[in-house]
Amino acid sequence: MYAIAIHGGAGLSTPEDLGAERERTARIDLEKSLLAAERVLQEGGSAEEAVIAAVMVMEDSPMFNAGKGAVFASDGVQRMDASIMTGHDEDAGALCGVSIVKNPIRLASAIMHNTPHVMLYGDDAHEHAKEAGLEIVESSWFHTQYRLNQLKKAKKANKILLDHEHVDKGKSKGTVGAVALDIHGNIAAATSTGGLVNKRPGRVGDSALIGAGTYAKNSTCAVSATGHGELFIRANIAGRMSALMELGGKSLHDAAHQIVWEELEEDVGGLIAIDQQGNITMPFNTGGMFRGSLKKDEKPKVWVWKEENK
Ligand code: ASP
């Protein structure tokens, strides 16, 4: 048995706001992400390798708020946060404020494996990426006109926005993440983001933080969250999801639904989670969430809007 679930950010108010072309491209890239993870899992690769493969596809796609296409901070710099956790040993790696590493999720994994620490930030994280032989790019690699326009609009309106959010319309969020179960029975979670449009330089979101945006423990679940980071940090969402299962005796589905539907404020985000049995849950309380899943012997499935049922 193997299984994978991914998200490309919650939020999104309506199909009109997103636009047919962006929606079509996002769906294609989500499917590519699932298939990249499946190739790893089919060959007996680990859940960690699978979530990295899935997230890298979305980091390389300009469609999502991670890697290429990440949003800009208020000073016009794209600073990224990412984290990864493996459920069999509860080890973790994370980074924040990274601006020249092509695939931040690979750096999170390198930090986990190569250092005795969980998180590195800024230039010291860049140094480790170079030592680990990861691909370094000019900051212009991450730029897209779409995100530059978003920053201009946000600055004009004097607002800090979530990635798919419109200055004058409802809220929406970005970020990418993946959770996977491998054939060895291990689970893992990974999350990667550019954070918030027009965020203050130095702001760190939940996606960098183990227990807030990312968590994995074999006996409970692997979780990746997306949404308004400050709320997810305060409520320790990903760790809470695991605690509701471990200490509260909840199922994967019930724990996730309690968090998203009873505990989080309305219209702030969602999460994806998987357990060792390969159960998957993907609740969100926004208009849409880019998401998809794939299980052994099944075709990849991708959804965007809340009306699209599993
Ligand atoms: N959670 C991310 C952050 O606050 C944003 C997102 O999910 O779009 O940095």
Side-chain angles (χ1 to χ4, degrees):
M1 169 67 173
Y2 62 74
I4 170 102
I6 58 169
H7 71 78
L12 305 161
S13 19
T14 63
E16 294 71 49
D17 287 342
L18 177 61
E21 187 52 34
R22 279 185 75 77
E23 178 174 338
R24 199 183 64 83
T25 314
R27 285 179 187 272
I28 292 170
D29 289 350
L30 289 170
E31 191 167 319
K32 280 188 198 157
S33 162
L34 288 169
L35 293 173
E38 180 173 45
R39 279 194 290 279
V40 171
L41 294 168
Q42 262 170 348
E43 286 164 15
S46 67
E48 181 197 346
E49 290 165 328
V51 293
I52 292 173
V55 166
M56 280 177 66
V57 170
M58 294 185 280
E59 286 178 338
D60 290 344
S61 160
M63 294 308 302
F64 306 104
N65 175 19
K68 187 171 182 63
V71 300
F72 287 90
S74 59
D75 57 354
V77 177
Q78 287 156 298
R79 289 188 193 80
M80 286 154 249
D81 297 340
S83 59
I84 191 161
M85 187 160 181
T86 43
H88 65 287
D89 54 3
E90 293 159 53
D91 202 358
L95 53 96
C96 55
V98 160
S99 54
I100 56 167
V101 180
K102 181 165 176 270
N103 292 108
I105 201 61
R106 289 192 67 201
L107 178 55
S109 166
I111 291 167
M112 173 169 82
H113 289 291
N114 305 342
T115 80
H117 310 300
V118 170
M119 184 186 282
L120 296 179
Y121 74 94
D123 281 341
D124 295 304
H126 295 158
E127 272 315 302
H128 186 64
K130 290 175 194 163
E131 281 166 25
L134 300 182
E135 192 170 349
I136 303 297
V137 290
E138 294 290 327
S139 53
S140 59
W141 156 260
F142 300 108
H143 292 191
T144 62
Q145 194 55 44
Y146 183 83
R147 296 296 188 206
L148 275 171
N149 295 345
Q150 232 178 4
L151 176 65
K152 275 187 208 147
K153 282 189 196 156
K155 277 185 168 298
K156 209 166 153 199
N158 199 19
K159 281 192 176 174
I160 296 172
L161 302 175
L162 294 142
D163 144 59
H164 316 294
E165 194 169 3
H166 290 248
V167 165
D168 47 353
K169 294 209 179 125
K171 295 179 186 161
S172 61
K173 297 89 200 159
T175 294
V176 307
V179 293
L181 165 70
D182 63 31
I183 59 168
H184 314 289
N186 294 320
I187 55 178
T191 312
S192 180
T193 190
L196 304 180
V197 184
N198 202 21
K199 67 183 178 184
R200 190 187 175 109
R203 180 263 186 189
V204 179
D206 61 315
S207 311
L209 302 177
I210 298 301
T214 305
Y215 195 75
K217 182 170 184 163
N218 265 9
S219 59
T220 56
C221 58
V223 188
S224 170
T226 170
H228 199 301
E230 280 68 10
L231 301 177
F232 284 69
I233 294 170
R234 287 187 205 125
N236 194 231
I237 291 298
R240 179 163 173 74
M241 165 89 199
S242 171
L244 281 173
M245 294 177 71
E246 184 173 4
L247 307 173
K250 301 263 179 201
S251 67
L252 183 87
H253 174 276
D254 290 355
H257 283 251
Q258 175 175 327
I259 286 173
V260 171
W261 293 112
E262 294 171 30
E263 298 184 1
L264 279 178
E265 281 170 34
E266 255 176 67
D267 202 20
V268 296
L271 58 84
I272 56 170
I274 196 167
D275 64 16
Q276 263 189 317
Q277 286 67 51
N279 296 307
I280 288 173
T281 187
M282 300 190 274
F284 57 95
N285 65 14
T286 54
M289 178 167 87
F290 289 122
R291 62 202 186 280
S293 71
L294 184 157
K295 291 189 182 179
K296 188 171 185 297
D297 302 325
E298 285 181 10
K299 290 214 172 332
K301 296 186 198 120
V302 164
W303 306 271
V304 178
W305 307 108
K306 65 178 168 201
E307 296 77 20
E308 290 177 73
N309 278 336
K310 278 199 75 179

